Amino acid sequence: MSAAQPFFVTTPIYYVNDQPHLGHAYPTVAADVLARFMRLDGRRVRFLTGTDEHGQKVARSAEALGVTPQQFADQVSAAFREMDRLLDISNDDYIRTTEERHLRGVQALWRELERRGEIYLGRFTGWYCVRDEAFYDESELIAGPNGAKLGPTGAEVEWLEEENYFFRLSAWQERLLAWYEANPEAVAPRSRRNEVISFVRSGLKDLSVSRTSFSWGVPVPEHPGHVVYVWLDALINYITALGYPDQRGDYSTFWPADVHVVGKDIIRFHAVYWPAFLMAAGLEPPRRIFAHGWWTIEGQKMSKSLGNGIPPEALVGRYGVDPARYFLLRELPFGNDGDFSHRAVVGRINSDLANGIGNLAQRVLVLIQRNCDGVVPAPDVLSAADEALLAAARGLQPQLREHIAEQAFHLALEAIWRVIAEADRHINDEAPWELRTSDPARMRTVLYALAETLRHLAILLQPFMPGSAARLLDQLAVPPAARQFADLATPLAPGRRLPPPAGIFPRYVETDTAAS
Ligand code: MSP
């Protein structure tokens, strides 16, 4: 047997200056679906998430609260872990940039860049934005109220003059362009790829990669007073978590990453700086970077000052973990911006979950319970319509593979829901309840085809709604050891006793009259 093909997926590591909210839940849930899908598909998966704890922004937030940056980071990092638990996230590792394993790796990569002549000492004079932890060119700035200069994201910038180390980014322009050209799938979606290519074509300047005006960071080796620029520090997490600088073991198995899931706001760091740093150190760039869009909340930008960032507890408490996960991935094409509204979530819960998969499952399971003594019925000869339904169910997995390879979660879910609609039609057309006396063998055949379809749906829904899909599989008496995608090929065994049916996807009933 050949060894399982490895798959490495990552989320951004989250700044600890903010409490977790829906905007952080989003990439984490998406990466979790990829990880779970690949595990079920027989891949050897490593799924990494964690927290980004250094830099001026975190240092200032800690100072404002009168605690040390480390205490502050410990607290908020724990809140992100709690977010993962609440959202049923199946990460294999959790990295914090203040961990020793990370520090060591960052310093090793720095030394390697220096040894290769990719880093030199210079003087930085220009604009820095602490909120974005980014350097901006004068030409990128926009005018704020009363003539103040703001970064392109609308955040305040500060004039900075300090002695810094620089990375020779300008020298990598042509090699980056050649890399995008040779790897058309490396930066996605297409609109982001185009944006990245035109940014690189417009000319790259050397990048400041150390800071001297504060100390909350990884010390630059052999150059006291300098700490590593927080973005260089942070990006390296993707390899320090694999044991870098040791290039054997996990690094050799899992690098290059299969997908870095990131937001569109941080695409430049991942698709320009990161591959350049890696190539400059003689390492391979990642295979793919996918940039998702941004959520607004009830039509408004999510912001700390508006206090409208929905915390994970609120999300899960109100809707349940699986409906929340489902909504996030179904509502928008991954890559597009969109709006999170209570009305839209309730609409999806009631129409797609309660009336869709929930209703189908309940109808089939109750009919089997009542009419087949609660055991999976043995089919007689399948009709053309039964065969068509089963063919649609069997055709799902290859379609899902294609959609998931492109991070098109909404298309994967749409495909599943087309089969749910077909199964609904089948049950209505065949009216098995009427066959009970007129043609019991036909009734058993129809119910078998429906139960087998349900098994396919439940197995394929596992990455998206793990808890609910598991309960559905329990109701179909599919043992936990038979829930991999490879098990799709082994049909449900007639004669197996099913537990009494119990609803899995309840309707959302409004309890709070103030909510719209
Ligand atoms: N620490 C950096 C990432 C370093 S990765 C080596 C960072 N952290 S962050 O906490 O500010 O943001 C993390 C991610 O959350 C980003 O990918 C960002 O796109 C995402 N989101 C934050 N708010 C969001 C929305 N309102 N909507 C969707 N995603 C958003 O950047």
Side-chain angles (χ1 to χ4, degrees), residues 321-379:
V321 55
D322 284 344
R325 290 171 59 111
Y326 173 78
F327 178 82
L328 290 175
L329 296 183
R330 175 63 188 83
E331 187 68 1
L332 296 181
F334 205 50
N336 291 19
D337 294 337
D339 188 48
F340 187 98
S341 73
H342 177 63
R343 185 192 295 269
V345 183
V346 172
R348 289 273 173 208
I349 291 180
N350 289 343
S351 68
D352 300 5
L353 299 182
N355 293 346
I357 180 71
N359 184 50
L360 173 70
Q362 191 69 2
R363 281 171 96 188
V364 173
L365 293 167
V366 168
L367 282 166
I368 293 178
Q369 199 68 32
R370 290 206 187 125
N371 303 312
C372 308
D373 298 325
V375 300
V376 177

Side-chain angles (χ1 to χ4, degrees), residues 110 114 119-123 162-167 207-212 220-223 226:
W110 180 284
E114 210 173 15
I119 282 178
Y120 63 91
L121 189 62
R123 192 165 177 79
E162 26 172 90
E163 183 191 72
N164 284 177
Y165 280 93
F166 284 82
F167 169 70
L207 180 71
S208 164
V209 286
S210 78
R211 300 289 311 276
T212 45
V220 169
E222 276 78 65
H223 303 292
H226 287 259

Side-chain angles (χ1 to χ4, degrees), residues 12-15 21 23 52 231 238 263 265-266 292-295 302:
I13 50 171
Y14 302 103
Y15 283 131
H21 59 62
D52 187 355
W231 266 102
Y238 300 131
D265 52 320
I266 56 175
H292 62 74
W294 268 53
W295 289 97
M302 209 186 298

Side-chain angles (χ1 to χ4, degrees), residues 3-179:
Q5 203 191 342
F7 180 82
F8 182 36
V9 56
T10 67
T11 72
I13 50 171
Y14 302 103
Y15 283 131
V16 291
N17 71 300
D18 200 1
Q19 291 293 324
H21 59 62
L22 181 119
H24 308 120
Y26 188 45
T28 298
V29 167
D32 185 60
V33 171
L34 297 177
R36 287 178 183 272
F37 188 95
M38 295 303 171
R39 285 191 203 106
L40 289 163
D41 210 10
R43 304 276 294 263
R44 180 173 170 201
V45 171
R46 179 62 60 90
F47 169 21
L48 174 69
T49 184
T51 40
D52 187 355
E53 307 187 357
H54 290 133
Q56 212 166 359
K57 172 155 81 167
V58 170
R60 284 187 186 172
S61 297
E63 202 180 331
L65 289 171
V67 293
T68 66
Q70 188 66 61
Q71 283 167 335
F72 179 63
D74 288 347
Q75 255 170 35
V76 186
S77 185
F80 275 97
R81 270 183 204 262
E82 178 59 13
M83 169 180 92
D84 293 343
R85 197 188 61 77
L86 283 168
L87 292 169
D88 217 347
I89 301 304
S90 64
N91 56 304
D92 303 290
D93 194 359
Y94 186 95
I95 190 155
R96 301 182 53 187
T97 54
T98 50
E99 285 174 278
E100 181 57 33
R101 60 170 171 162
H102 179 71
L103 255 74
R104 236 184 304 121
V106 170
Q107 293 190 330
L109 193 96
W110 180 284
R111 286 199 179 93
E112 187 58 22
L113 291 173
E114 210 173 15
R115 193 182 69 77
R116 290 170 176 252
E118 298 286 350
I119 282 178
Y120 63 91
L121 189 62
R123 192 165 177 79
F124 180 85
T125 48
W127 297 100
Y128 190 76
C129 172
V130 174
R131 199 186 77 184
D132 301 344
E133 296 283 18
F135 301 93
Y136 289 123
D137 203 59
E138 180 80 38
S139 63
E140 292 179 285
L141 301 184
I142 57 173
N146 35 6
K149 288 180 192 287
L150 300 177
T153 57
E156 269 178 42
V157 290
E158 302 171 14
W159 183 254
L160 197 71
E161 290 194 27
E162 26 172 90
E163 183 191 72
N164 284 177
Y165 280 93
F166 284 82
F167 169 70
R168 294 188 196 281
L169 183 63
S170 58
W172 288 90
Q173 179 167 335
E174 293 312 316
R175 281 172 284 188
L176 281 168
L177 290 170
W179 179 64

Side-chain angles (χ1 to χ4, degrees), residues 330-516:
R330 175 63 188 83
E331 187 68 1
L332 296 181
F334 205 50
N336 291 19
D337 294 337
D339 188 48
F340 187 98
S341 73
H342 177 63
R343 185 192 295 269
V345 183
V346 172
R348 289 273 173 208
I349 291 180
N350 289 343
S351 68
D352 300 5
L353 299 182
N355 293 346
I357 180 71
N359 184 50
L360 173 70
Q362 191 69 2
R363 281 171 96 188
V364 173
L365 293 167
V366 168
L367 282 166
I368 293 178
Q369 199 68 32
R370 290 206 187 125
N371 303 312
C372 308
D373 298 325
V375 300
V376 177
D380 194 13
V381 180
L382 295 168
S383 72
D386 299 329
E387 294 281 15
L389 176 62
L390 287 172
R394 291 190 195 113
L396 270 178
Q397 188 214 4
Q399 281 178 55
L400 261 53
R401 265 203 194 129
E402 280 178 30
H403 295 318
I404 292 296
E406 297 182 344
Q407 291 79 46
F409 303 102
H410 71 297
L411 295 183
L413 289 167
E414 269 173 31
I416 294 178
W417 258 259
R418 275 197 298 275
V419 174
I420 294 175
E422 272 192 53
D424 273 336
R425 261 196 308 277
H426 195 60
I427 203 169
N428 293 340
D429 290 351
E430 302 289 332
W433 51 90
E434 287 175 3
L435 296 168
R436 185 191 162 100
T437 43
S438 62
D439 190 349
R442 177 72 198 130
M443 175 197 71
R444 285 193 291 273
T445 307
V446 171
L447 290 178
Y448 180 82
L450 286 163
E452 172 62 359
T453 302
L454 215 46
R455 185 183 70 94
H456 276 262
L457 294 169
I459 287 183
L460 294 169
L461 279 172
Q462 291 177 100
F464 299 92
M465 297 190 282
S468 311
R471 284 195 289 283
L472 187 48
L473 288 163
D474 290 345
Q475 304 237 329
L476 288 164
V478 174
R483 297 178 180 184
Q484 292 285 112
F485 293 165
D487 298 307
L488 286 166
T490 313
L492 209 53
R496 191 170 293 160
R497 178 157 299 282
L498 303 184
I504 298 171
F505 298 96
R507 283 187 69 75
Y508 184 92
V509 184
E510 210 67 68
T511 48
D512 175 4
T513 46
S516 56

